[in-house]
């Protein structure tokens, strides 16, 4: 078994020479039409709408009230949020009708709590992509990966200022190639599947609902 | 005739079902429900893809770009695999190499047993289907549950996927409902798809919560950063790679890409070609196991790199293009043969046109002689392929490899010459001899036109649905000669 590596590499190396690299033709990407800010924002929202996400445009000071309202509409009384994250203070402004709990524990000892007793979670986001209606989650120790994954309802706060035209532009501008965290997730809607007779159903395994709180500044 | 020596322990279970191709086709063509399920699904997927590419210029530019990206990554493959291994290792992800499916299964089983793992949840991975990982783990007393909805259905039905991205496409909702009634206690019969998915969700969420190990595939492995990328819609891929404490990813050696910047164009073509989505619901990029201070995520992440016939594809420049595949499934969605016979008839893990060019390398030509011939060479697969694999051309090449004398060098493929039939080979060698000599050619034509009444009216399968071909009474040479003579005599009279 230990020979597998050297056997495979030897077989592959026997077929190519470094000089083959020079013969590679130039690759050319497609030049997409330039969109202005407003058009990009519209594109972002349209994609999310089509993918069954709910987009709410609001100002930062409205976060708490909007969360409370959305939760009440769904008869949900509790919400889990990140510890020390960018919007922690804004979230904590919700009234007493919502029981807030902080994700300040180790997941492995609290799996059941997250799976069975956490109806909603809220996270921030690193940035967003107009071309595909995508939100980039960059989980940290303050906003762990499972906070945006396990609860059936996921609120995500997106700052319109962080909207990029495309995925490739974003990776270049933010220099992702230099350093990536444990996990990055691109989210473009609630969990879905069309595995049974091509019929679209939402909430396959991840969040059944995705509510995007879009901060306009 | 070559006799292929296969260690029975190493032979894939799919070799036997691939050998039974003709019987499988007869069986599945007679199944009206199955045929209507596939027809509906393929029409749906073709429409979806079409609606995702409004601009032909964009599509062709992207196809060319992605073809070149994959070709570059293949030329640099050995170097990129080493770079990937070095980066992943530096990131804390352990890399394993496997030449055969048995090796891959053993590596995974040992990793699980070392952690005393008893239950595994698996995200969708065709490579783990290739190795028949579930069977291997179950034989060792490890429960391995499929978590992709389609895969879950297929596993309950004790079947295997009939399509690489929509595994349960051969079943309709009524069949799924019946299956759930039979297998899930307390399930009340319904054909409401939301209710069926909700049922699957409930069962699987409790499994995610308890599982010791998560197994996943990989769509792109980025050498530059040591990142494993996963494309999915359901969230089960995220569950499998986040919730259990041990994550094992398995992939073929061809999935490595050089740069992070190679990912966006490939991702865009992959999801649009597959399901017509601008992007999948989730795109998961994993670069490390859980880091100090982080509250969740697996503490161990492993990657198993599998060869299983891929280095054989690599060794021939034409066949190497097979490795450009990004597993979108567009070729099968547009294939008139796949649409009619369905995915199971092929008997292989990968069905449809891509399966026809991949499987002969994995299972050997002997088990798959029928596959390259099961095509009308209409060319649809090559036209929709996002990375421009010339599938029809490769099918012809495989037909050739299958009938070459077994001893002819160089031996490009395992089982070369397995499809060679002595009578057929004799006929073709006669044909070649005759066509190389003008004298023999004219003489044989003279005899053929005179003996044309000897032509049988029934020639096997050909005349089941067609009338028998008939030789002309005179050859083309004779006719032209006659015409020239007639013209000359007309001109002669005119003078």
């Amino acid at each position: 078994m230990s020979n597998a590596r050297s056997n495979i590499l030897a077989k592959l190396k026997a077929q190519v020479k470094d000089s083959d690299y020079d013969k590679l033709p130039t690759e050319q990407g497609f030049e997409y039409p330039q969109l202005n800010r407003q058009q990009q924002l519209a594109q972002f929202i349209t994609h999310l709408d089509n993918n069954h996400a709910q987009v709410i445009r609001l100002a930062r000071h409205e976060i708490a009230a909007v969360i409370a309202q959305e939760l009440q509409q769904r008869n949900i009384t509790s919400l889990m949020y990140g510890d020390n994250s960018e919007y922690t203070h804004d979230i904590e402004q919700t009234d007493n009708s919502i029981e807030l709990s902080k994700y300040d524990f180790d997941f492995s000892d609290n799996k059941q709590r997250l799976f069975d007793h956490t109806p909603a979670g809220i996270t921030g986001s690193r940035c967003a992509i107009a071309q595909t209606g995508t939100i980039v989650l960059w989980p940290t120790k303050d906003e762990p990966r499972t906070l945006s994954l396990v609860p059936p309802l996921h609120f995500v706060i997106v700052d319109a200022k962080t909207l990029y035209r495309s995925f490739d532009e974003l990776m270049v501008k933010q220099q992702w190639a230099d350093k990536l965290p444990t996990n990055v997730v691109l989210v473009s809607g609630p969990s879905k599947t069309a595995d049974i007779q091509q019929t679209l159903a939402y909430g396959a395994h991840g969040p059944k609902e995705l509510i995007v709180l879009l901060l306009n500044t | 005739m070559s006799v292929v020596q296969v260690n029975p322990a190493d032979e894939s279970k799919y070799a036997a079902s691939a050998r039974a191709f003709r019987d499988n086709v007869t069986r599945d063509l007679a199944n009206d429900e199955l045929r209507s399920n596939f027809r509906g699904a393929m029409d749906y997927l073709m429409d979806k893809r079409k609606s995702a590419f409004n601009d032909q210029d964009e599509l062709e530019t992207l196809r060319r770009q992605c073809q070149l990206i994959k070709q570059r990554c293949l030329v640099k493959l050995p170097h990129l695999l080493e770079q990937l291994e070095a980066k992943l290792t530096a990131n804390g992800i352990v890399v394993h190499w496997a030449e055969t499916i048995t090796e891959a299964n053993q590596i995974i089983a040992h990793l699980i047993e070392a952690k005393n793992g008893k239950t595994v949840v698996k995200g969708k991975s065709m490579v783990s289907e290739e190795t028949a990982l579930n069977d291997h783990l179950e034989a060792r007393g490890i429960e391995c549950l499929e978590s992709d909805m389609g895969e879950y259905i297929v596993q309950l039905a004790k079947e295997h996927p009939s399509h690489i991205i929509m595994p349960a496409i051969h079943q309709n909702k009524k069949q799924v409902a019946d299956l759930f009634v039979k297998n899930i206690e307390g399930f009340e019969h319904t054909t409401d798809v939301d209710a069926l998915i909700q049922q699957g969700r409930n069962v699987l969420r409790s499994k995610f919560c308890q599982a010791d190990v998560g197994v996943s595939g990989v769509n792109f492995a980025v050498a530059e950063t040591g990142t494993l990328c996963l494309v999915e819609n359901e969230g089960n891929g995220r569950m499998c790679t986040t919730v259990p404490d041990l994550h094992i990813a398995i992939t073929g050696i061809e999935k490595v890409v050089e740069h992070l910047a190679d990912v966006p164009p490939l991702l865009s073509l992959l999801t649009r070609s597959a399901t017509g989505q601008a992007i999948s619901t989730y795109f998961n990029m994993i670069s490390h196991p859980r880091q100090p201070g982080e509250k969740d995520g697996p503490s161990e992440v492993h990657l198993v790199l599998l060869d299983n016939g891929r280095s054989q594809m690599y060794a021939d420049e034409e066949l190497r293009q097979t490795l450009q595949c990004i597993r979108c499934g567009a070729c099968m969605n547009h294939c008139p043969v796949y649409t009619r016979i369905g995915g199971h008839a092929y008997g292989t893990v990968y069905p449809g046109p891509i399966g026809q060019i991949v499987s002969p390398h994995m299972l050997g030509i002997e088990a798959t002689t029928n596959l390259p011939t099961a095509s009308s060479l209409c060319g649809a697969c090559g036209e929709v392929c996002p990375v421009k694999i010339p599938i029809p051309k490769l099918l012809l090449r495989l037909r050739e490899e299958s009938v070459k004398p077994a001893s002819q060098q160089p031996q490009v493929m395992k089982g070369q010459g397995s499809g060679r039939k002595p009578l057929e080979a004799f006929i073709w060698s006669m044909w070649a001899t005759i066509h190389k000599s003008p004298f023999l050619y004219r003489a044989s034509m003279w005899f053929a036109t005179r003996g044309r009444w000897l032509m049988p009216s029934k020639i096997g399968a050909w005349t089941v649905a067609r009338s028998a071909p008939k030789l002309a009474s005179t050859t083309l040479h004779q006719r032209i000669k006659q015409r020239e003579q007639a013209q000359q005599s007309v001109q002669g009279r005119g003078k």
Side-chain angles (χ1 to χ4, degrees):
Chain A
M1 214 174 288
S2 53
N3 292 330
R5 180 184 187 277
S6 49
N7 289 350
I8 293 172
L9 287 174
K11 277 193 242 173
L12 299 180
K13 282 180 178 171
Q15 305 301 331
V16 281
K17 303 179 291 291
D18 285 355
S19 60
D20 293 343
Y21 295 3
D22 305 333
K23 289 184 255 167
L24 293 166
T26 330
E27 296 158 22
Q28 205 156 25
F30 185 73
E31 292 288 334
Y32 289 92
Q34 289 294 331
L35 301 180
N36 66 31
R37 211 64 211 146
Q38 280 315 309
Q39 289 168 320
Q40 283 183 16
L41 208 57
Q43 193 183 29
F44 176 68
I45 294 169
T46 307
H47 273 294
L48 281 168
D49 278 345
N50 291 342
N51 284 330
H52 229 255
Q54 184 185 342
V55 182
I56 303 173
R57 302 178 73 159
L58 74 177
R60 185 162 180 166
H61 68 266
E62 294 171 307
I63 290 177
V66 170
I67 294 171
Q69 191 190 340
E70 292 298 323
L71 288 174
Q72 274 154 17
Q73 274 177 20
R74 290 166 177 79
N75 287 323
I76 295 172
T77 51
S78 67
L79 175 70
M80 190 169 282
Y81 67 119
D83 195 12
N84 280 324
S85 63
E86 195 183 345
Y87 299 103
T88 298
H89 180 74
D90 304 273
I91 297 161
E92 283 173 344
Q93 304 310 307
T94 46
D95 57 41
N96 297 334
S97 66
I98 308 299
E99 183 200 326
L100 289 174
S101 54
K102 257 188 198 172
Y103 199 136
D104 54 3
F105 47 81
D106 192 276
F107 173 67
S108 49
D109 309 324
N110 290 275
K111 285 189 180 179
Q112 216 76 48
R113 175 174 170 193
L114 229 76
F115 270 91
D116 297 336
H117 307 290
T118 309
I122 184 165
T123 69
S125 61
R126 183 176 175 97
C127 52
I129 303 166
Q131 202 175 58
T132 48
T134 299
I135 297 149
V136 179
L137 301 182
W138 196 273
T140 59
K141 59 183 175 32
D142 295 327
E143 278 186 350
R145 296 158 72 170
T146 41
L147 180 56
S148 63
L149 171 64
V150 180
L153 170 62
H154 176 209
F155 286 99
V156 60
I157 304 171
V158 178
D159 188 336
K161 273 190 304 196
T162 66
L163 189 66
Y164 287 81
R165 185 178 61 94
S166 64
F167 188 21
D168 38 352
E169 182 192 274
L170 150 70
M171 289 202 308
V172 173
K173 288 205 171 152
Q174 293 198 351
Q175 297 171 317
W176 281 22
D178 294 346
K179 179 106 184 83
L180 280 171
T182 303
N183 180 238
V184 178
V185 188
L186 273 54
V187 177
S188 303
S191 155
K192 69 177 176 189
T193 182
D195 271 359
I196 300 180
Q197 212 177 325
Q198 306 93 53
T199 310
L200 211 49
Y202 292 92
H205 299 288
K208 292 178 174 182
E209 282 188 274
L210 177 69
I211 300 181
V212 182
L213 305 178
L214 183 59
L215 299 183
N216 285 311
T217 39
Chain B
M1 293 286 99
S2 81
V3 178
V4 185
Q5 293 294 323
V6 186
N7 174 0
D10 272 341
E11 182 172 277
S12 160
K13 65 174 179 176
Y14 295 99
S17 48
R19 281 187 197 104
F21 176 73
R22 281 172 183 275
D23 294 336
N24 302 343
V25 169
T26 312
R27 177 197 66 205
D28 290 351
L29 280 178
N31 185 338
D32 288 342
E33 190 174 35
L34 187 74
R35 291 185 65 172
S36 107
N37 293 350
F38 273 104
R39 177 83 260 176
M42 296 305 106
D43 286 346
Y44 168 84
L45 287 169
M46 282 192 286
D47 279 352
K48 293 292 265 182
R49 176 184 175 276
K50 205 172 158 196
S51 65
F53 293 114
N54 296 317
D55 182 346
Q56 279 298 309
D57 260 4
E58 184 212 3
L59 171 60
E60 289 313 315
T61 309
L62 280 178
R63 283 180 77 214
R64 177 74 180 145
Q65 182 191 13
C66 288
Q67 176 194 28
L68 293 178
I69 290 175
K70 286 298 289 191
Q71 287 180 347
R72 163 169 49 83
C73 296
L74 285 172
V75 165
K76 299 184 178 179
L77 184 61
H79 161 70
L80 293 183
L81 284 168
E82 286 174 323
Q83 190 190 356
L84 177 73
E85 183 187 42
K87 275 284 171 189
L88 285 172
T89 309
N91 289 355
I93 295 175
V94 188
V95 180
H96 309 261
W97 303 70
E99 288 190 271
T100 64
I101 57 174
T102 313
E103 270 180 25
N105 287 339
Q106 279 168 356
I107 291 168
I108 294 176
H110 287 153
L111 289 171
I112 296 169
E113 283 162 359
K115 288 277 228 172
N116 222 350
K118 290 276 170 271
T119 54
V120 177
V121 280
K122 211 173 92 185
K124 199 174 156 16
S125 150
M126 287 309 291
V127 178
S128 72
E129 295 287 343
E130 195 180 314
T131 69
L133 178 66
N134 292 3
D135 297 348
H136 185 89
L137 293 183
E138 255 155 54
R140 298 174 82 129
I142 301 166
E143 185 200 65
C144 193
L145 192 76
E146 294 289 349
S147 65
D148 172 88
M149 284 295 175
E151 292 269 358
Y152 172 66
I153 291 166
V154 165
Q155 191 181 29
L156 275 186
K158 299 190 170 54
E159 294 177 327
H160 66 92
S162 59
H163 189 282
I164 62 169
I165 57 155
M166 304 198 103
I169 210 157
H170 56 288
Q171 297 219 8
N172 57 38
K173 56 188 178 187
K174 196 187 148 293
Q175 292 168 306
V176 175
D178 294 344
L179 184 72
F180 278 15
V181 169
K182 232 164 76 187
N183 290 281
I184 303 172
E185 215 176 298
F187 176 74
E188 278 195 35
H189 191 281
T190 171
T191 54
D192 177 46
V193 171
D194 279 322
L196 290 168
I197 294 295
Q198 181 63 43
Q199 179 62 44
R201 176 182 172 99
N202 293 344
V203 172
L204 289 164
R205 271 175 81 90
S206 69
K207 294 287 182 181
F208 287 130
C209 192
Q210 295 153 10
D212 305 310
V213 185
V215 171
S216 77
V218 176
N219 291 94
F220 313 109
V222 186
E224 180 180 31
T225 52
T227 302
L228 308 177
C229 303
L230 261 137
V231 176
E232 58 142 349
N233 284 319
E234 295 185 0
N236 64 310
R238 289 178 70 192
M239 288 280 185
C240 291
T241 59
T242 309
V243 175
D245 194 48
L246 171 62
H247 168 209
I248 305 168
I250 176 167
T251 195
I253 50 173
E254 82 283 16
K255 291 282 174 69
V256 56
V257 297
E258 187 174 11
H259 303 297
L260 205 55
D262 294 331
V263 170
L266 288 170
L267 174 64
S268 172
L269 270 195
L270 171 60
T271 59
R272 293 204 278 171
S273 302
T275 53
Q277 291 173 269
I279 191 171
S280 54
T281 301
Y282 302 119
F283 184 63
N284 199 351
M285 305 172 81
I286 298 160
S287 305
H288 303 265
R290 177 178 187 164
Q291 297 297 289
E294 289 178 351
K295 298 189 179 80
D296 61 4
S299 63
E300 269 184 45
V301 180
H302 297 260
L303 173 70
V304 180
L305 290 166
L306 176 67
D307 182 339
N308 189 30
R310 289 166 174 84
S311 55
Q312 178 182 287
M313 301 178 209
Y314 193 79
D316 179 280
E317 246 179 272
E318 185 179 34
L319 297 170
R320 188 182 297 165
Q321 296 171 91
T322 314
L323 295 169
Q324 285 164 221
C325 179
I326 52 173
R327 303 283 190 264
C328 70
C331 58
M332 54 198 78
N333 299 343
H334 291 76
C335 177
V337 177
Y338 176 92
T339 305
R340 282 160 185 82
I341 68 174
H344 286 153
Y346 293 85
T348 49
V349 177
Y350 303 96
I354 187 63
Q356 288 168 275
I357 60 169
V358 163
S359 312
H361 295 277
M362 294 176 174
L363 304 172
I365 297 185
E366 177 272 322
T368 55
T369 37
N370 285 315
L371 293 187
T373 64
S375 165
S376 65
L377 299 175
C378 76
C381 49
E383 269 174 45
V384 296
C385 177
V387 286
K388 298 178 84 137
I389 302 173
I391 301 178
K393 230 173 121 190
L394 297 182
L395 287 170
L396 287 175
R397 173 68 194 281
L398 293 173
R399 291 180 186 182
E400 203 183 309
E401 294 300 324
S402 145
V403 297
K404 258 187 190 170
S407 54
Q408 190 177 315
Q409 296 298 332
Q411 298 242 353
V412 181
M413 295 186 63
K414 189 170 87 179
Q416 169 182 315
S418 315
R420 193 174 172 88
K421 297 188 190 92
L423 179 63
E424 194 180 66
F426 172 73
I427 292 172
W428 281 116
S429 81
M430 288 302 290
W431 187 89
T433 312
I434 289 169
H435 281 72
K436 273 186 256 175
S437 148
F439 170 74
L440 281 180
Y441 180 77
R442 292 225 156 87
S444 67
M445 284 302 120
W446 188 88
F447 280 110
T449 47
R450 260 118 199 116
R452 68 191 190 113
W453 53 274
L454 286 169
M455 188 81 183
S457 61
K458 286 203 168 60
I459 354 177
W462 181 265
T463 44
V464 170
R466 303 176 190 86
S467 52
K470 220 173 176 180
L471 287 170
S473 59
T474 46
T475 66
L476 186 62
H477 281 141
Q478 285 172 321
R479 283 192 184 199
I480 288 175
K481 205 175 251 172
Q482 278 165 6
R483 199 170 69 176
E484 280 170 352
Q485 281 169 352
Q487 278 169 350
Q488 275 166 9
S489 70
V490 168
Q491 284 165 357
R493 251 178 285 157
K495 273 181 190 164

